């Protein structure tokens, strides 16, 4: 008897979720544990810790500084001399920074002329043939003239056209020239503004009086909001030794943190100060340590000759770094975070499905209950009709064969 095969049509399929209630204590506990963890994350971290219900803004800041302090030195080179702010703060004002000179190398009464260069491997010579007229190296103090002249009784060096005598910075004064600089004070005036909330404030708080401001010195424990800092205490708070740092200089950071919750009273928005060394002193790397630069003071003698005093200044550069964030309640971020939290609850369902369908002993049973395959109703009906007529056709053929 001939057999007939009904061709199967490959058509697009559609998946729809199916709710299956599984009475399993293990799966139920996992589901509730994951939901509780998500709820704790949304409430504890997103809303309480990160304040996800607030709109935020970054700080806009301006900083000015004022240094005070006087000291006296007595040396064979300069004699007895008073040093005040105009002498050791260079330049008088910088943007968000201040430099205080703590050590120096003086080269007095320099004038333009011809003199021997400092001795090194490139400048020592025996005769004029070792010197090249017009030659200038990276470390030259002047331009070579081509002559080889005595530097002292035992060494000859190439002659240069330069500011003479040339600077000799091979020996840095120890201890530092201005040891008393650790007692100098720095007034830091900081104004901040949060433009999104039109909120402004300064670190000289409204509760301060003129008398208090003249007498206070910052202390993390007893006076944490005083804006006047002792230089030695700043270095000490960063874990450094001031007298060691003063010899070759360094870069310090004074950080002012303005993290403010503007849902509270404005009096709670106060600065927090911290200190650190920024040039990362490394005992294993002693090449070009510290912080220094050169400047000169110029004079003109009655004879018309211009002279200068060259100063190689070592000191502490204090960078004032202001940062912060303000937050205030707003409906939009609140609704966004609530929606995100609700969406996270879907993770519990996904995790439980993985456990039920792939990890449990009865996973094949649960998988059978979870997934149900349903054919297209129209396709099934048409196929049923087709099968019915095919069956009738086969029966009629059988009858005819029997009659024949």
């Amino acid at each position: 008897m001939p057999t007939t095969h009904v061709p199967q049509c490959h058509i697009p399929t559609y998946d729809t979720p199916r709710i299956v209630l599984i009475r399993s204590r293990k799966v139920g506990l996992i589901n509730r544990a994951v939901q509780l963890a998500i709820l704790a994350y949304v409430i504890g971290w997103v809303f309480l810790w990160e304040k996800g219900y607030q709109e935020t803004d970054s700080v806009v800041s301006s900083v000015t500084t004022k240094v005070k302090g006087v000291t006296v030195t007595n040396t064979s080179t300069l004699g007895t001399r008073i040093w005040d702010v105009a002498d050791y703060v260079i330049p008088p004002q910088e943007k968000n920074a201040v430099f205080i000179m703590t050590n120096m190398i003086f080269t007095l009464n320099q004038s333009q002329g011809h003199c021997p260069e400092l001795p090194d491997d490139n400048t020592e010579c025996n005769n004029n043939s070792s010197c090249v007229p017009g030659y200038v190296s990276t470390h030259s103090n002047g331009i070579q003239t081509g002559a080889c002249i005595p530097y002292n009784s035992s060494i000859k060096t190439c002659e240069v056209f330069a500011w003479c005598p040339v600077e000799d910075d091979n020996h840095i004064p120890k201890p530092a020239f201005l040891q008393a600089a650790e007692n100098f004070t720095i007034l830091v005036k900081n104004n901040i503004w949060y433009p999104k909330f039109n909120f402004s404030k300064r670190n000289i708080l409204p509760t301060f009086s003129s008398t208090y401001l003249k007498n206070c010195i910052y202390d993390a424990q007893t006076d944490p909001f005083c804006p006047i800092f002792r230089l030695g205490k700043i270095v000490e708070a960063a874990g450094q030794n001031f007298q060691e740092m003063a010899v070759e200089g360094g870069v310090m950071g004074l950080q002012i943190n303005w993290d403010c919750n503007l849902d509270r009273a404005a009096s709670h928005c106060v600065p927090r100060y911290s200190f650190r060394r920024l040039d990362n002193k490394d005992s294993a790397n002693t090449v070009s340590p510290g912080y220094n630069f050169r400047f000169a003071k110029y004079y003109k003698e009655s004879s018309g000759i211009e002279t200068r005093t060259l100063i190689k200044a070592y000191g502490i550069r204090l960078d004032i770094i202001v940062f912060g964030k303000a937050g205030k309640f707003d409906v939009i971020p609140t609704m966004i975070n609530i929606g995100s939290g609700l969406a996270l609850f879907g993770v519990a369902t996904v995790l439980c499905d993985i456990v039920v369908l792939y990890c449990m002993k009865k996973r094949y049973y649960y998988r059978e209950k979870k997934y149900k395959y349903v054919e297209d109703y129209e396709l099934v009906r048409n196929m049923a009709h087709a099968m019915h007529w095919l069956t009738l056709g086969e029966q009629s053929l059988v009858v005819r064969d029997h009659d024949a």
Side-chain angles (χ1 to χ4, degrees):
M1 182 175 63
T3 59
T4 305
H5 297 280
V6 179
Q8 295 183 356
C9 299
H10 296 281
I11 59 176
T13 61
Y14 165 70
D15 295 332
T16 183
R18 184 185 186 189
I19 299 176
V20 179
L21 180 62
I22 299 175
R23 299 184 181 278
S24 169
R25 179 175 297 178
K26 181 188 295 184
V27 178
L29 289 174
I30 293 174
N31 184 49
R32 293 293 178 256
V34 175
Q35 288 177 342
L36 285 174
I38 294 172
L39 186 63
Y41 165 76
V42 173
I43 295 176
W45 176 261
V46 175
F47 281 97
L48 297 181
W49 184 261
E50 289 293 323
K51 295 181 174 59
Y53 55 87
Q54 291 184 333
E55 181 72 28
T56 59
D57 194 14
S58 297
V59 69
V60 178
S61 167
S62 69
V63 174
T64 57
T65 60
K66 184 182 292 185
V67 181
K68 288 188 176 181
V70 177
T71 187
V72 62
T73 59
N74 190 357
T75 63
S76 57
T77 304
L78 299 176
T80 302
R81 176 168 178 172
I82 289 289
W83 296 84
D84 63 13
V85 175
D87 297 313
Y88 57 74
V89 176
I90 307 160
Q93 283 293 320
E94 287 189 76
K95 182 180 178 181
N96 297 340
V98 61
F99 174 80
I100 298 174
M101 184 169 61
T102 57
N103 205 8
M104 60 209 76
I105 296 175
F106 288 96
T107 306
L108 302 174
N109 301 320
Q110 283 187 320
S111 61
Q112 294 192 18
H114 296 85
C115 53
E117 179 63 282
L118 283 179
D120 61 28
D121 294 339
N122 297 319
T123 61
E124 292 185 14
C125 59
N126 294 317
N127 51 57
N128 292 345
S129 61
S130 301
C131 302
V132 180
Y135 174 76
V136 180
S137 72
T138 305
H139 302 290
S140 294
N141 287 297
I143 300 174
Q144 290 189 11
T145 63
C148 180
I149 61 175
Y151 178 78
N152 55 32
S153 59
S154 59
I155 299 175
K156 286 186 176 182
T157 61
C158 293
E159 183 184 60
V160 290
F161 177 62
W163 284 93
C164 299
V166 296
E167 178 192 62
D168 183 2
D169 61 351
N170 291 322
H171 303 287
I172 303 174
K174 292 182 181 180
F177 196 74
L178 298 180
Q179 300 178 61
E182 67 177 330
N183 295 315
F184 296 166
T185 60
I186 307 166
L187 169 62
V188 177
K189 293 194 285 187
N190 176 214
N191 294 271
I192 60 107
W193 178 46
Y194 287 106
K196 188 176 290 186
F197 308 120
N198 196 27
F199 177 86
S200 60
K201 199 166 185 179
R202 62 177 187 158
N203 66 332
I204 301 177
L205 302 179
T207 56
F208 293 174
S209 65
S210 299
T211 304
Y212 169 80
L213 199 60
K214 288 179 180 178
N215 295 285
C216 77
I217 296 292
Y218 172 85
D219 185 275
Q221 302 300 324
T222 61
D223 224 340
F225 302 119
C226 178
I228 300 176
F229 304 87
R230 195 162 71 88
L231 186 59
K233 287 291 185 180
I234 291 176
V235 176
E236 181 183 325
Q240 304 293 315
N241 183 287
F242 179 85
Q243 294 302 332
E244 291 180 1
M245 191 176 184
V247 173
E248 294 181 320
V251 183
M252 292 294 304
L254 192 163
Q255 300 169 312
I256 308 178
N257 182 8
W258 287 91
D259 281 342
C260 297
N261 182 359
L262 299 184
D263 291 328
R264 305 176 68 188
S267 59
H268 292 283
C269 182
V270 292
R272 307 291 179 182
Y273 301 103
S274 60
F275 314 92
R276 60 164 298 177
R277 183 166 183 172
L278 300 179
D279 59 339
N280 292 327
K281 181 183 178 183
D282 185 0
S283 58
N285 186 3
T286 58
V287 178
S288 188
Y291 182 79
N292 64 78
F293 59 89
R294 292 175 175 84
F295 68 97
K297 296 182 177 181
Y298 293 86
Y299 312 92
K300 181 163 284 191
E301 298 179 353
S302 57
S303 59
I305 298 175
E306 184 181 33
T307 63
R308 75 177 189 183
T309 296
L310 178 65
I311 302 171
K312 183 175 183 180
Y314 300 83
I316 297 174
R317 176 187 170 94
L318 183 66
D319 288 340
I320 295 102
I321 305 165
V322 182
F323 59 95
K325 183 176 70 173
K328 194 172 185 178
F329 175 78
D330 191 88
V331 174
I332 294 176
T334 303
M335 298 306 297
I336 289 174
N337 283 306
I338 289 175
S340 300
L342 293 174
L344 281 176
F345 279 99
V347 174
T349 303
V350 173
L351 183 60
C352 290
D353 280 350
I354 293 173
V355 172
V356 169
L357 301 177
Y358 299 100
C359 301
M360 297 186 70
K361 291 181 180 180
K362 297 181 180 180
R363 56 184 177 273
Y364 298 109
Y365 171 75
Y366 290 128
R367 200 176 298 173
E368 181 182 343
K369 298 298 182 181
K370 171 72 174 175
Y371 300 111
K372 183 176 181 179
Y373 300 94
V374 180
E375 301 293 344
D376 189 335
Y377 175 77
E378 295 294 334
L379 177 62
V380 171
R381 189 179 66 174
N382 292 337
M383 290 179 65
H385 282 296
M387 291 297 293
H388 174 71
W389 289 110
L390 286 172
T391 302
L392 292 177
E394 290 176 356
Q395 289 176 354
S396 67
L397 286 173
V398 170
V399 170
R400 289 178 185 176
D401 291 343
H402 179 72
D403 293 339

